[in-house]
Amino acid sequence: MAKRLGRAQRATALVPLALLSAAWTASLAGVGAGSATATQTPDPLPATSLPDGTSVPTQAIEAPASVSSPDGVAPGIGAGGAAQAVSTASTAGIPSVALAAYQRAETVINAADESCNLTWQLVAAIGRVESDHGRYGGNTLDDQGVARPGIFGIALDGSNKTQAIADTDAGQFDGDAKWDRAVGPLQFIPSTWSVVGVDADGDGRRDPQDIDDAALASAVYLCSGDDDLSTTAGQRTAVYRYNHSDSYVDLVLSIMSNYLAGSYTSVPNGTTAAGYIQPDTSYTPPPSASSGPKVVKESKPGANQPEATAPAAPTTPTPTAPSGGGKGNGGKGGGKPTKAPSLPPVVVPTLPSTGVTPVDETLTRAQAIVQCALDYGLKVDVNGLVNVILSLLNTVVGAEATEACIAKYTNP
């Protein structure tokens, strides 16, 4: 497997990336980006394992990939807020093309940088928070993974509690030549996308609206630097760099925990999550900023989740005319259809005990967290958020003791 490149090897390769980061920093400070110029031509990029020849930066990218919306944690979190996002993680579903993109991002990034140890569930959690897996603002993912009609955040012009980030991409990605806007399913600020954008699917474009490119770009961002993302500390550090908000970090890691526990479903592309409220968006980018026609992709190695096919449209029974019909109403068609009888309520019987003690005594992770809190004498609201209880446990008794207690109940 390919090793992460040494810092000395990457020094010249990072020159153009440093200039882009400088431009981003200057825009926040109100200084023209044109003051940062290259004085020499950088050496060619060294060989790498990423699909398009780019590599994982050895230095952690500190400029955020995304920013929280003024009135919430992120655009993908609807009116129900963070609590609903966590509680509906298993029922909202992940479009199959997005799930495949997340899983492929894990495979590719850990081959390119075996010290990162990134799981696809972390990338998926960010995708859920940022855009509800590409379904924010009336968007859906097509079968090629592109968000249609396109996801564009609000203008980052300093008003409405936003950061002021002057245009860094001449409107190439966001269609706004005055201010930057976060773009795509992973809501990248254009300046950061210019650093980490990857052509993950080999279609010849680095498109932030494409879930394949965006998912791998998120993986590249999170794995920049030397954090070990198999640890909670590494995860928190990397996600905080992605979006400088503690509440954002807490929410992402809570959803990631649900996904790690298997609480997710794959749904057909083009579907909308249950209970998701479409926001009212007023910005329509010019045609040049929207994704154009896309070449049909070949099957992708590492995408071990096949795309689900959309179910056939249900057939609607033809209403039956009442007896003694004929041409009622003056011969203009039949009479009113008869009212369909109401269906009886469905009663789900209580499941019987398995009769196998270890099986009946095994708790879900959520139940185990609450039980462990009670074991340690913590006063908790058992109807509260599980991630809040888990955070309390980690603070009081430590993460190692907490996980040992949970394992005792989930693996008797």
Side-chain angles (χ1 to χ4, degrees), residues 15-29 31-33 35-37 63 195:
V15 168
L17 307 189
L19 292 178
L20 287 167
S21 297
W24 181 88
T25 304
S27 69
L28 288 180
V31 180
S35 59
T37 57
V195 176

Side-chain angles (χ1 to χ4, degrees), residues 66-140:
S66 178
V67 293
S68 294
S69 59
D71 55 352
V73 176
I77 304 305
Q84 186 186 50
V86 174
S87 64
T88 61
S90 61
T91 58
I94 304 175
S96 59
V97 70
L99 183 58
Y102 299 145
Q103 293 173 336
R104 184 170 184 267
E106 174 191 314
T107 300
V108 173
I109 199 67
N110 288 330
D113 179 8
E114 61 185 12
S115 68
C116 182
N117 300 312
L118 175 69
T119 64
W120 68 261
Q121 288 89 345
L122 179 54
V123 181
I126 293 177
R128 169 65 183 92
V129 174
E130 290 293 352
S131 70
D132 193 19
H133 307 303
R135 297 176 289 191
Y136 168 75
N139 279 264
T140 56

Side-chain angles (χ1 to χ4, degrees), residues 63-368:
S66 178
V67 293
S68 294
S69 59
D71 55 352
V73 176
I77 304 305
Q84 186 186 50
V86 174
S87 64
T88 61
S90 61
T91 58
I94 304 175
S96 59
V97 70
L99 183 58
Y102 299 145
Q103 293 173 336
R104 184 170 184 267
E106 174 191 314
T107 300
V108 173
I109 199 67
N110 288 330
D113 179 8
E114 61 185 12
S115 68
C116 182
N117 300 312
L118 175 69
T119 64
W120 68 261
Q121 288 89 345
L122 179 54
V123 181
I126 293 177
R128 169 65 183 92
V129 174
E130 290 293 352
S131 70
D132 193 19
H133 307 303
R135 297 176 289 191
Y136 168 75
N139 279 264
T140 56
L141 296 178
D142 65 18
D143 289 342
Q144 304 307 314
V146 179
R148 305 288 187 184
I151 304 176
F152 300 89
I154 62 174
L156 300 175
D157 57 5
S159 64
N160 299 318
K161 301 179 182 179
T162 64
Q163 296 185 37
I165 306 180
D167 175 62
T168 59
D169 67 331
Q172 176 185 359
F173 299 118
D174 59 10
D176 191 333
K178 185 175 182 181
W179 300 102
D180 269 352
R181 296 170 182 264
V183 290
L186 276 297
Q187 285 291 277
F188 275 100
I189 299 171
S191 56
T192 307
W193 175 260
S194 297
V195 176
V196 298
V198 181
D199 178 13
D201 48 26
D203 66 353
R205 298 188 302 165
R206 299 175 185 176
D207 183 1
Q209 301 290 351
D210 184 339
I211 192 69
D212 297 299
D213 295 355
L216 185 54
S218 290
V220 170
Y221 183 99
L222 294 169
C223 288
S224 66
D226 55 6
D227 293 313
D228 181 355
L229 269 65
S230 67
T231 67
T232 301
Q235 293 162 0
R236 295 195 68 88
T237 298
V239 176
Y240 185 83
R241 287 190 292 105
Y242 199 99
N243 187 319
H244 297 173
S245 164
D246 288 323
S247 58
Y248 178 93
V249 175
D250 292 338
L251 178 56
V252 166
L253 296 190
S254 295
I255 294 176
M256 179 196 72
S257 295
N258 279 3
Y259 288 161
L260 284 169
S263 296
Y264 65 90
T265 55
S266 176
V267 297
N269 304 325
T271 58
T272 302
Y276 178 67
I277 300 176
Q278 298 290 2
D280 179 20
T281 54
S282 58
Y283 174 69
T284 302
S288 60
S290 301
S291 299
K294 193 173 176 77
V295 178
V296 176
K297 306 171 189 173
E298 299 293 334
S299 58
K300 306 167 189 172
N304 52 12
Q305 182 72 23
E307 291 191 359
T309 54
T315 57
T316 304
T318 303
T320 305
S323 59
K327 295 183 179 181
N329 299 323
K332 302 284 187 178
K336 295 182 180 179
T338 57
K339 183 178 181 181
S342 58
L343 296 176
V346 177
V347 179
V348 180
T350 302
L351 293 177
S353 169
T354 63
V356 182
T357 302
V359 174
D360 291 334
E361 291 179 352
T362 300
L363 304 179
T364 66
R365 179 176 175 84
Q367 292 171 324

